[in-house]
Amino acid sequence: MWKLVIAPFLLLVSANCLAELVVTSPSEACSLLSGSGLPGGTWRDQEDGTWGCSSDYLDIGAGSLPNNLAYYVDGGVVSITQVKLVLNYNKPSSKESATKALLSASSRLSQKALGVKLPASISKAINSGKPTTSEAGSGVIDVLREDWPNGKGYEVHVVMR
């Protein structure tokens, strides 16, 4: 009887465990994009029970409050759960160069974090700013979009886990 109850649970848990990053060291994950102007900094307690690191914003464009890109790594004390890029479209009318930067950083991150080329469906979603999910190597990539309540911009997240 217990086998009937436990077997489906184990299948569910093992399927989720199959999706993973090829980089497991927090310090290594934090430095994946250092050569691209997005050094992740030091792995530290986020004071909410999670650990992580993040880059400073990389401005893309000129003027006051340009579009900007940042890199984040999230996890526990000694492990990472996801890496992500966040592009703030502060000036949506000047989105071409910002989108190109996000696509380039996502391609590099996919190779380094998942060991595979960025899937075409993810590239298409980044270019269009539309949400999607795709398997990539042993992991999963999500593209998420959040329109700001003030209507003046939005952000696109590329999350790899």
Side-chain angles (χ1 to χ4, degrees):
M1 173 71 173
W2 281 105
K3 290 180 182 177
L4 292 175
V5 174
I6 294 174
F9 176 75
L10 290 176
L11 285 173
L12 179 64
V13 171
S14 64
N16 286 336
C17 292
L18 294 175
E20 62 184 29
L21 300 166
V22 295
V23 175
T24 58
S25 159
S27 61
E28 184 181 359
C30 292
S31 65
L32 286 178
L33 295 179
S34 293
S36 304
L38 293 167
T42 305
W43 192 249
R44 63 187 176 281
D45 185 350
Q46 303 297 309
E47 299 181 13
D48 65 356
T50 64
W51 284 68
C53 62
S54 61
S55 71
D56 291 332
Y57 287 113
L58 177 64
D59 289 341
I60 304 165
S64 62
L65 197 56
N67 297 324
N68 56 54
L69 179 63
Y71 171 59
Y72 300 89
V73 181
D74 301 317
V77 176
V78 296
S79 63
I80 62 172
T81 55
Q82 68 180 20
V83 296
K84 68 180 172 182
L85 292 159
V86 178
L87 179 59
N88 294 306
Y89 285 95
N90 297 309
K91 294 186 178 179
S93 61
S94 302
K95 68 181 184 178
E96 291 80 17
S97 61
T99 301
K100 185 177 177 181
L102 177 59
L103 189 55
S104 176
S106 297
S107 293
R108 281 191 297 276
L109 189 57
S110 180
Q111 286 286 349
K112 292 181 176 191
L114 297 170
V116 296
K117 183 178 176 183
L118 192 69
S121 61
I122 297 297
S123 296
K124 183 177 178 182
I126 290 169
N127 280 318
S128 67
K130 295 187 178 177
T132 194
T133 298
S134 179
E135 292 183 8
S138 62
V140 174
I141 302 176
D142 297 308
V143 176
L144 310 168
R145 177 179 169 147
E146 181 181 334
D147 292 298
W148 298 339
N150 65 11
K152 294 183 179 182
Y154 61 96
E155 57 192 58
V156 172
H157 298 224
V158 178
V159 182
M160 301 180 190
R161 51 188 168 78

